Amino acid sequence: MLGQVDISKRQAEIADLVQKAGFASVEELAERFEVTTQTIRRDVNGLCELGVLRRTHGGVEPPAPASNIHYSTRQILNHPEKQLIAEQVAARIENNQSLAFSIGTTPEIVMQALTGHEKLAIFTNNLNVAFTASSNPSFQVTIAGGRLRHGDRDILGSAAQTFFSNYKVDVGIFGVAGVDEDGTLLDFHEDEVAARQSILANCRKSFLVLDHSKFGRGAHVRGGQLKDVDAIFTDRPVPGEFLASLEGEATEFIVAGEGSGL
């Protein structure tokens, strides 16, 4: 996997726990993992240096939402849940289909789940997706041209928007940084939204892939609504306050391991 950061299993579990709880003290973590506080401090110091967590009085918490954390660190968060989502998406994709992929760690993991398919045509501005897709010699992989964003290994801007508008694909697969309670899809940069919207406008079916942590997660650039997509793939039931925005809509949501609804 391109850009995968090397951290311990315990650090990955700490990161997930703090992301879900919103805060954890060093003492609580030491007791939970049955290690010394010195060991936990080394673990969390490493996670803070990577930007996965940030120090606060008495413990650690998730980073401030004003900007996204590094791509390689996002790969470790909720990874098992993203794999479950990817398996559900892969089950809906047929051989010989054309797919557009956006940036993001969950779309990348979906691509990993699709490497056993045959003769897929992949269009993407995400070099992590392109690299994974290129491992299957039966796939045709086309990537956007333009300036590379180093941390995320993607191409954004007008070139990416034009790239996706040049094709009409069977399925568009994309994620978001967060979802507001009224169903608004949120990202951190205008160019991220523009590329995603270009995929949405040029696909026959649209698949939004996101784990449960994205519901209620703050980001400041608006870009569409949950109801705009054909299917939502997630790992837990959609929280009740978010369902109101889907009432009466044709959008399907698929919870990994639970089937579909709406």
Side-chain angles (χ1 to χ4, degrees), residues 128-151:
N128 297 291
V129 165
F131 182 84
T132 300
S134 69
S135 67
N136 186 322
S138 78
F139 289 3
Q140 173 187 296
V141 183
T142 307
I143 61 175
R147 180 170 296 175
L148 177 68
R149 188 165 60 159
H150 293 286

Side-chain angles (χ1 to χ4, degrees), residues 81-102:
E81 291 90 339
K82 293 173 183 177
Q83 288 180 312
L84 291 174
I85 292 167
E87 291 168 5
Q88 291 290 328
V89 176
R92 299 288 188 101
I93 302 299
E94 300 176 3
N95 293 333
N96 300 294
Q97 285 194 307
S98 57
L99 312 174
F101 278 84
S102 77

Side-chain angles (χ1 to χ4, degrees), residues 9-248:
K9 181 176 182 293
R10 185 172 60 239
Q11 282 179 305
E13 292 175 357
I14 290 170
D16 276 344
L17 187 154
V18 176
Q19 288 287 331
K20 293 168 184 175
F23 172 82
S25 71
V26 170
E27 290 73 17
E28 289 169 342
L29 292 171
E31 182 177 352
R32 181 183 182 91
F33 291 98
E34 299 181 341
V35 296
T36 66
T37 55
Q38 289 84 354
T39 297
I40 289 297
R41 285 194 181 93
R42 285 195 294 270
D43 284 342
V44 300
N45 283 345
L47 292 170
C48 290
E49 289 172 5
L50 290 169
V52 179
L53 302 176
R54 67 174 179 176
R55 298 178 186 83
T56 188
H57 182 68
V60 286
E61 63 185 9
S67 61
N68 213 352
I69 60 178
H70 194 277
Y71 190 97
S72 62
T73 64
R74 299 202 308 273
Q75 288 175 313
I76 69 174
L77 300 176
N78 301 314
H79 190 264
E81 291 90 339
K82 293 173 183 177
Q83 288 180 312
L84 291 174
I85 292 167
E87 291 168 5
Q88 291 290 328
V89 176
R92 299 288 188 101
I93 302 299
E94 300 176 3
N95 293 333
N96 300 294
Q97 285 194 307
S98 57
L99 312 174
F101 278 84
S102 77
I103 65 174
T105 58
T106 307
E108 179 190 354
I109 295 171
V110 171
M111 186 69 259
Q112 294 168 13
L114 286 168
T115 54
H117 282 56
E118 293 292 329
K119 298 182 179 179
L120 297 180
I122 307 298
F123 302 88
T124 186
N125 63 332
N126 184 334
L127 295 194
N128 297 291
V129 165
F131 182 84
T132 300
S134 69
S135 67
N136 186 322
S138 78
F139 289 3
Q140 173 187 296
V141 183
T142 307
I143 61 175
R147 180 170 296 175
L148 177 68
R149 188 165 60 159
H150 293 286
D152 292 59
R153 292 195 176 98
D154 56 36
I155 291 99
L156 292 174
S158 59
Q161 298 167 44
T162 301
F163 168 77
F164 287 119
S165 69
N166 285 335
Y167 305 97
K168 187 73 174 183
V169 300
D170 294 315
V171 183
I173 299 172
F174 46 83
V176 292
V179 182
D180 205 11
E181 286 189 9
D182 65 0
T184 300
L185 305 180
L186 303 170
D187 276 295
F188 288 98
H189 300 285
E190 289 82 355
D191 286 344
E192 293 174 345
V193 170
R196 172 164 52 79
Q197 293 291 73
S198 186
I199 292 175
L200 180 62
N202 294 284
C203 64
R204 296 180 179 89
K205 288 185 179 179
S206 53
F207 290 176
L208 173 62
V209 294
L210 72 171
D211 67 78
H212 65 276
S213 70
K214 300 298 180 67
F215 290 99
R217 184 187 183 207
H220 54 275
V221 184
R222 300 164 61 94
Q225 295 278 323
L226 285 174
K227 64 183 180 181
D228 297 338
V229 304
D230 294 309
I232 301 165
F233 292 79
T234 187
D235 61 302
R236 295 184 189 176
V238 178
E241 60 269 28
F242 295 86
L243 290 178
S245 67
L246 293 172
E247 188 173 353

